[in-house]
Structure formats: structure tokens, C-alpha cells
Amino acid sequence: MNQPHLRPLTSIIITFLAFSTLLPSSEVAAQPSGFNYNESRVPDFSLPELLKLQDGSAVTSAQQWRSNRRPEVLALFQDHVFGQQPNAVPRLRTRERSRKQDALEGRAVRREITVFFSDNDNGPSMDILVYTPADAETPVPCFMGFNFHGNHSVDPDPAIHITTSWVRDDSKRGNIDHRATEKSRGKSSSRWPVEMIVSRGYGVATIYYGDVDPDFDDGFKNGIHSILEPHTTARAGNAGGSISAWSWALSRGLDVLEMDPLVDGSRVSTFGHSRLGKTSLWAGASDERFAMVISNDSGCGGAALSRRRFGETVKRINTSFPHWFCINHRQYNDNENASPVDHHMLMALIAPRPVYVGSAEKDLWADPHGEMLSLFHAGPVFELLGRKGLPNDNVATVNQPIQTDVGYHIRTGKHDVTDFDWTQYMNFADRHLK
Ligand code: GTR
């Protein structure tokens, strides 16, 4: 049968499929179709009130926030969004796996510290890769966050151990059959400008998130779940998902940094990009020992307001990543207004500690304006605690950071971590951690 009109269409589809397989997965998924990217189509909604207790009474003092409302809000996030963090705190054992006194051409001390989560050396463990300035005379403030591809991807230094944990397959990166290879060394270094960070007097500590909980849905059997969860009964609706597991492990990283002679444990900021930005926020909200919190392009389930339904939605994230949140979170699929929380309340849990939200102009999937609005709407809690929130809810000007006791920027470019982002985070840390 002669169907000339079908030919171009078929070849367009084939060309598209061929082309899309060549693109890095982050580019393909950048802006899936079928979602709203238009501000004028954001639905009307009202946010749950921050300064009202569940019994309806108003919260008018810092004391009431601390003793009554903050615990309520924290429990709501545990029960409806991320799930509980593991409540067992195993006896941690650490071992310095490597040390280089003159890393980065003499500018830094570089260490790998293995943290064992049990008494078994072959049980779950994570490696913390820490750089501290070589010339520091006293313990330094430090950024700590997970990386996506293994500590060896952060810097090409051949002495950094290649992770043996599960990694996402990516042949271009050198990840084959879920194992990292030599080829993947240093491949994420643009996101971790370690030299720039130590030259400004900060330490930087990073952990491969797959050491803690490999990022796929296995029914919570691997990673730390293998020792922390009994698996004899069905999981509760508020049992923690992977974001809770990762954020819990950031706290264990802080346990270690608190004992570290080169780092000042009272001046550690969490940092994270994307799903690991969600993790950074949840870690900072759950553990008040973190002195500062940074979210880079964390989007839905992180800094963005869910009720806006701009870019990624609750339903989409729970469907694509069923293991990230708790089961109860699925009740809000296409039903965001029924949730007792929205993500301005996650920001408020961090108050009065400084929190910085970084967005990117082309990262519409993460709803840059919605990320800013969360921070803006947390303002009343910051004010109640004697801090300044964002001055207004105007659409922010690109590349013009706003920094008070909270910080926000939207930079040009895509979903990524850049030197511009880090420069702002360090400027903000100069005000708050130094
Ligand atoms: C996307 C996901 C986002 C974000 C991102 C990432 O696929 O939809 O929520 O977390 O992954 O972590 O890279």
C-alpha cells in the first residue's frame, strides 16, 4: 500500500529515538511533555498555615514555634512526605582509608574515611572523601553532600578509591553492569570545584549516595536497610523512603565530622543537587546540628511548592521513583491540596539557621519560581525567630542573588551545579559560617 505521508512521520520518530539515545539522560528528561511550564496555568491554591497549630490556635512566639508547632510540622513531613528516618543509631566505626597531606598541589589535605554501619567490615559502609585547606590553623567550616557517581568521580586524583557500590549504568561515563570503572574518574569534577572551595578556607566532604542506599526500588533490602530494617512485616505508610535513608546517613557523616580535628562540626552546611538537594533539605530539617543548608535545583519534593503543579508533580515523582518518599505521600498524587504540608514548611523547619536555594533558568522541571516561593512563604517563621526572610515574592532576576538570613538565586543555564552556584553558596557561608 502506498502511504507516502507515513514515511516522514516514521523517519521523524526514528530520528528522534536515535537522537534521544545519544543525549545524556539528564537532557532527555529535562522537560518531559504533558506537564505545565506556564505560569499563567498554575492553579489557585492556598498554603497550609505555618503559624497555626493543628488545634487551630495561633503561634505567636518563638517559644511556641519551638516547643509546639515545629515538632508538629516535623512529624507531618515524617508521616506524609519523606517517612521516618531510621531510628536505630548503630555503633559507627571509622577507619582512615587514605590520606594525602599535599593534595591539589599542596593546597589541601585529602582523606578518605570509611564509616562502617555495623561491626562487620563486609557490611554496609560509606566512604567520606574530605578535603580541608592545607594551611588551616584551626578546624574549618565545611560543606557536606552526596555525589551521584562515586567519590572518585569528584576529582581525577588516581589515589581516590573507585566505588564498588552499585552505580547507574552509563557507558559514556564508564559505568558498566552497574559497576564504576577507571574511565569514570573525575567525570563530575565540574560539580565539585574542590580547589576553589579550599582556597576560600572551607572544607568539603562528599559521600557516594549509592553506598548508603542504591537508587532503585528493591523493597528496601539493600544498603543500610539490610541492617536497619527487619523485613518481617509490611512497611508502614510512614516508613522512610530512600531520601530519608540518605539524609539519615548525612547525619552520620556529621557524627564523624564532629569528632574530626580538621573540621569544625558546629559549622557544617549540607549541600545537594536535585534528588540530593531534596536530601540536603530533609537532613537539615531533621537534624538541627547542621549549621546551614543548601538546596541546588531540588525541585519537586525539595524546595518547590507542590501545590503549584509546575513541572514535575507529586504523582509523577511518586510514579517514577516509588522508593524516594513514604507510601503515605502517594495519597497526594493529583491531590496536592489535601496534604497537611507544603514545602515552605520544610524551609521553616530549618529556621533560624541559614538556608540557600539555588535554581536554574532552564530547569523548568524543578519549578525555579516555586523554589523561591517556598523560601518566601517560610518568611514569617524566620521573622518570628528574629531573622530576615526574602524581601518579596517577585520573580527573581537571573544571576542576581538575594542574600539575607536566607539566600536565593536563579542563574542562567540548565539543571546542573556550576562554579556560579558554588560562588554564591560560599559568599553566603562567609556571612553565616565564618
Ligand atoms: C529527575 C527527577 C527530579 C530530580 C532529578 C535528579 O528525573 O524527576 O525530581 O531529582 O531526577 O535527581 O537528577
Side-chain angles (χ1 to χ4, degrees), residues 83-344:
Q84 309 273 343
Q85 288 185 337
N87 56 21
V89 178
R91 194 175 71 87
L92 300 180
R93 292 182 300 127
T94 62
R95 187 177 299 156
E96 190 171 280
R97 196 176 184 192
S98 74
R99 175 190 279 255
K100 192 166 188 215
Q101 283 298 128
D102 57 351
L104 308 177
E105 290 166 353
R107 291 189 192 88
V109 177
R110 195 259 300 128
R111 290 170 296 157
E112 291 172 283
I113 303 168
T114 304
V115 183
F116 298 95
F117 293 114
S118 71
D119 290 337
N120 178 0
D121 274 14
N122 300 316
S125 65
M126 65 182 187
D127 273 5
I128 313 180
L129 173 67
V130 199
Y131 288 87
T132 44
D135 58 2
E137 281 160 11
T138 51
V140 291
C142 187
F143 299 95
M144 177 165 60
F146 284 114
N147 62 74
F148 279 87
H149 301 288
N151 293 348
H152 66 280
S153 70
V154 164
D155 190 87
D157 182 342
I160 300 172
H161 287 86
I162 293 183
T163 183
T164 53
S165 297
W166 174 95
V167 292
R168 271 189 279 172
D169 269 348
D170 184 341
S171 56
K172 270 197 272 164
R173 186 172 265 283
N175 294 347
I176 315 286
D177 292 336
H178 299 296
R179 296 290 153 213
T181 66
E182 278 292 333
K183 195 180 162 193
S184 52
R185 265 191 201 290
K187 283 269 196 306
S188 302
S189 56
S190 69
R191 290 183 172 185
W192 295 94
V194 283
E195 225 173 288
M196 180 168 112
I197 298 171
V198 294
S199 74
R200 286 189 56 166
Y202 291 98
V204 54
T206 184
I207 304 162
Y208 173 48
Y209 81 137
D211 282 357
V212 175
D213 189 13
D215 193 0
F216 61 92
D217 185 13
D218 73 326
F220 301 100
K221 301 222 167 45
N222 59 18
I224 59 160
H225 295 105
S226 66
I227 53 162
L228 295 184
E229 212 162 308
H231 291 290
T232 45
T233 48
R235 291 195 109 224
N238 69 350
S242 292
I243 293 175
S244 271
W246 297 323
S247 61
W248 174 88
L250 275 187
S251 287
R252 303 294 70 80
L254 182 56
D255 295 343
V256 173
L257 293 187
E258 281 188 330
M259 309 290 285
D260 192 279
L262 302 184
V263 170
D264 180 349
S266 70
R267 292 184 293 158
V268 173
S269 174
T270 64
F271 161 82
H273 169 64
S274 206
R275 70 198 67 183
L276 302 177
K278 308 179 212 297
T279 302
S280 167
L281 289 168
W282 183 226
S286 307
D287 188 340
E288 294 184 88
R289 294 175 302 160
F290 287 111
M292 185 173 127
V293 176
I294 302 167
S295 145
N296 191 86
D297 303 354
S298 63
C300 180
L305 288 175
S306 299
R307 280 167 171 75
R308 280 170 51 83
R309 300 176 56 85
F310 188 108
E312 188 170 29
T313 61
V314 169
K315 180 179 181 186
R316 165 67 185 235
I317 205 165
N318 282 332
T319 308
S320 313
F321 307 102
H323 56 296
W324 285 1
F325 299 88
C326 68
I327 293 167
N328 287 345
H329 192 232
R330 298 178 194 167
Q331 297 170 60
Y332 309 108
N333 289 354
D334 286 336
N335 190 25
E336 292 83 353
N337 289 314
S339 172
V341 298
D342 210 320
H343 286 241
H344 61 310

Side-chain angles (χ1 to χ4, degrees), residues 2-24:
N2 191 9
Q3 287 180 315
H5 64 286
L6 279 184
R7 234 192 222 137
L9 182 62
T10 319
S11 68
I12 287 168
I13 291 169
I14 289 169
T15 311
F16 171 76
L17 288 176
F19 182 60
S20 64
T21 55
L22 294 176
L23 288 170

